């Protein structure tokens, strides 16, 4: 070992006698969950959680309603009656895929026309 490097003190192993007289619960203290104090009951925690979940569900429902409004009428008519959320999402995917394919076809036509003019 290099003489210029000082040796670190060896780690001392603790024995059972080192823990005699210590308050064990203080050794295993954990931080409480974020935003919840130890003396609060679960019910006081559940209320904000329920409100947060309700807001999340409301946002999802609002986005699905907006997607439904954006769908072309001919796609809406392919289903009978009320459009379920899952159906709205499926029709939106179908419509986006069709638009993507159409855009790709038009892009290919533009490239072909540009190559034709150059030749």
């Amino acid at each position: 070992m290099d003489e210029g490097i000082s040796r670190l003190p060896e780690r001392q192993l603790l024995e059972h006698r080192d823990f005699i007289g210590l308050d064990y619960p203080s050794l295993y203290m954990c931080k409480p969950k974020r935003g919840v104090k130890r003396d609060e009951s679960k019910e006081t925690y559940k209320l904000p959680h329920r409100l947060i979940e309700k807001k999340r569900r409301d946002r999802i429902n609002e986005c699905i309603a907006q997607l439904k409004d954006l769908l072309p009428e001919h796609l809406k008519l392919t289903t009978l009656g009320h459009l379920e959320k899952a159906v709205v999402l499926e029709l939106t995917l179908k419509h986006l895929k069709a638009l993507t394919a159409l855009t790709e076809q038009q892009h290919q036509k533009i490239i072909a026309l540009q190559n034709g003019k150059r030749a």
Side-chain angles (χ1 to χ4, degrees):
M1 187 165 175
D2 190 13
E3 293 175 18
I5 299 176
S6 62
R7 284 195 62 178
L8 295 174
E10 290 189 30
R11 185 174 178 182
Q12 293 179 349
L13 295 176
L14 297 176
E15 297 178 8
H16 177 70
R17 68 175 181 235
D18 296 325
F19 292 101
I20 295 175
L22 286 178
D23 183 25
Y24 283 102
S26 66
L27 294 173
Y28 299 104
M29 284 275 211
C30 296
K31 288 184 178 180
K33 288 185 179 178
R34 201 171 15 169
V36 178
K37 294 181 182 174
R38 285 178 194 268
D39 57 346
E40 291 181 353
S41 67
K42 286 185 178 181
E43 288 304 313
T44 57
Y45 169 73
K46 285 183 181 178
L47 182 63
H49 179 71
R50 286 181 186 152
L51 292 175
I52 291 168
E53 269 305 299
K54 183 177 181 339
K55 284 184 179 182
R56 185 186 71 81
R57 288 190 310 271
D58 289 344
R59 283 182 25 234
I60 291 170
N61 289 335
E62 179 59 33
C63 290
I64 290 174
Q66 288 180 18
L67 286 174
K68 181 180 175 182
D69 293 340
L70 291 173
L71 285 173
E73 288 300 319
H74 73 275
L75 281 178
K76 292 180 192 178
L77 296 175
T78 59
T79 62
L80 301 172
H82 175 72
L83 288 176
E84 295 177 353
K85 295 174 192 176
V87 174
V88 170
L89 292 174
E90 289 168 351
L91 291 176
T92 303
L93 282 173
K94 181 179 178 180
H95 185 58
L96 280 174
K97 287 178 182 178
L99 288 176
T100 304
L102 181 64
T103 305
E104 183 61 32
Q105 287 175 357
Q106 290 176 345
H107 182 69
Q108 294 298 327
K109 286 181 183 178
I110 290 170
I111 291 174
L113 289 172
Q114 286 174 345
N115 289 338
K117 287 182 181 178
R118 290 181 188 159

